[in-house]
């Protein structure tokens, strides 16, 4: 697959190449290249780094831990807090360092996508804090943030009923396509960001921007779920790899003792 994204300058040009593929060489149901790493930060309880296309995202998780200020505590479950922030250098036009309306909204959306997967009732009055930093944005950052944050939660050992995976599906020039890049997001006709708890088959995020016919929406959902399942395989593999290493390290330490 050719993963060089050609940035279109002229909105009048097509989002498809002459050979029918998308500008970055993908088919309609093809994901961008994805790379994941867990345990990338020393000072968080759990962390992950995800490259999804040209998106570069770090997620850090703290908790479950004592909540300050205490009056925010929930009597029956843990409070999940999420902070999504874009670095000033993450987008083409310098982003103001002050959190904007979009970041506040995406923080809420990401938190609501993750919470159904967490056993929050195990930790009354505690908090679980999720921080997401976008180092480089290329369309679909909320979805890739959900994938990264779920990995960081798992890395922190937060008890979860499932992982959570995010992926957007959209419409470009009348065709439903998965995982829109920045240029497709900006110039396409619609965007449906979604998140899935893959083994429970529960959708925890479904937004829609643009016009979709009922048939297109159904097709988008099916393609989105299939895309999320592919990303889930990668999440699972990277966590298995991480915990195999941890197990080896623990065994070595025990042998030395
Ligand atoms: O990132 P996501 O698609 O979840 O959210 P969006 O609000 O639909 O933003 C789409 C894309 O626009 C982002 O991924 C960035 O690449 C870009 N963007 C930007 O260029 N400047 C901003 N201040 C915010 C977003």
């Amino acid at each position: 697959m050719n993963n060089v994204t050609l940035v279109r300058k002229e909105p009048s040009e097509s989002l498809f190449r002459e050979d029918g593929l998308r500008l970055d060489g993908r088919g309609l149901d093809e994901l961008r290249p994805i790379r994941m790493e867990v345990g990338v930060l020393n000072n968080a309880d759990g962390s992950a780094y995800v490259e999804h296309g040209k998106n570069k995202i770090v997620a850090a998780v703290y908790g479950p831990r004592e909540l300050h200020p205490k009056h925010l505590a929930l009597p029956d479950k843990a409070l999940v807090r999420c902070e999504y922030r874009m670095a000033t250098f993450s987008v083409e036009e310098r982003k103001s360092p002050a959190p904007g309306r979009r970041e506040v909204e995406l923080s809420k959306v990401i938190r609501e996508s993750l919470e159904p997967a967490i056993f929050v009732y195990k930790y009354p009055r505690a908090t679980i804090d999720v921080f997401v930093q976008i180092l480089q944005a290329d369309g679909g950052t909320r979805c890739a943030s959900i994938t990264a944050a779920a990995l960081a939660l798992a890395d922190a050992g937060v008890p979860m009923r499932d992982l959570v995976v995010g992926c957007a599906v959209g419409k470009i020039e009348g065709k439903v396509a998965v995982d829109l890049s920045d240029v497709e997001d900006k110039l396409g006709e619609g965007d449906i960001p979604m998140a899935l708890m893959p083994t429970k088959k529960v959708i925890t995020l479904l937004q829609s921007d643009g016009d979709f016919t009922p048939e297109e929406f159904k097709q988008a959902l099916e393609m989105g779920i299939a895309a999320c399942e592919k990303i889930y395989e990668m999440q699972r593999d990277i966590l298995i790899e991480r915990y195999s290493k941890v197990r080896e390290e623990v065994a070595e330490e025990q042998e030395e003792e």
Side-chain angles (χ1 to χ4, degrees), residues 101-120:
R101 186 203 57 79
R102 180 179 168 277
E103 283 159 305
V104 173
E105 181 207 323
L106 294 203
S107 300
K108 175 180 184 286
V109 158
I110 295 166
R111 176 177 59 74
E112 289 175 351
S113 309
L114 297 168
E115 192 170 332
I118 302 171
F119 285 112
V120 283

Side-chain angles (χ1 to χ4, degrees), residues 117-139:
I118 302 171
F119 285 112
V120 283
Y121 291 98
K122 273 184 182 280
Y123 302 99
R125 309 191 62 78
T127 183
I128 296 167
D129 289 312
V130 180
F131 296 92
V132 175
Q133 281 288 338
I134 310 297
L135 304 177
Q136 185 167 283
D138 181 35

Side-chain angles (χ1 to χ4, degrees), residues 215-235:
E215 291 72 34
E216 283 168 349
F217 194 80
K218 187 167 175 280
Q219 188 190 357
L221 262 186
E222 282 165 7
M223 286 169 78
I225 290 171
C228 283
E229 283 170 348
K230 284 185 205 158
I231 302 173
Y232 166 62
E233 304 268 304
M234 297 179 219
Q235 271 182 327

Side-chain angles (χ1 to χ4, degrees), residues 32 55 84 86 90-96 101-103 105-106 134 136-145 168 180-183 185-186 191 193 207 209:
R32 290 174 284 182
N55 289 309
Y84 163 102
M86 277 187 140
S90 63
V91 281
E92 232 171 273
E93 270 192 32
R94 178 185 175 276
K95 145 105 195 23
S96 152
R101 186 203 57 79
R102 180 179 168 277
E103 283 159 305
E105 181 207 323
L106 294 203
I134 310 297
Q136 185 167 283
D138 181 35
T141 59
R142 83 194 62 193
C143 294
S145 297
L180 301 190
S181 64
D182 188 39
V183 68
D185 191 39
K186 285 182 177 144
D191 182 25
Q207 296 182 293
D209 175 19

Side-chain angles (χ1 to χ4, degrees), residues 161-230:
R161 47 177 65 82
D162 203 346
L163 282 169
V164 191
V165 197
C167 188
V169 194
K171 188 159 84 169
I172 42 176
E173 293 173 21
K175 295 188 178 106
V176 178
V178 296
D179 192 18
L180 301 190
S181 64
D182 188 39
V183 68
E184 291 173 334
D185 191 39
K186 285 182 177 144
L187 301 173
E189 297 108 80
D191 182 25
I192 303 177
M194 58 187 284
L196 179 76
M197 292 193 339
T199 64
K200 301 276 175 210
K201 304 250 180 281
V202 172
I203 290 175
T204 61
L205 167 73
L206 192 61
Q207 296 182 293
S208 180
D209 175 19
D211 292 329
F212 290 84
T213 64
E215 291 72 34
E216 283 168 349
F217 194 80
K218 187 167 175 280
Q219 188 190 357
L221 262 186
E222 282 165 7
M223 286 169 78
I225 290 171
C228 283
E229 283 170 348
K230 284 185 205 158

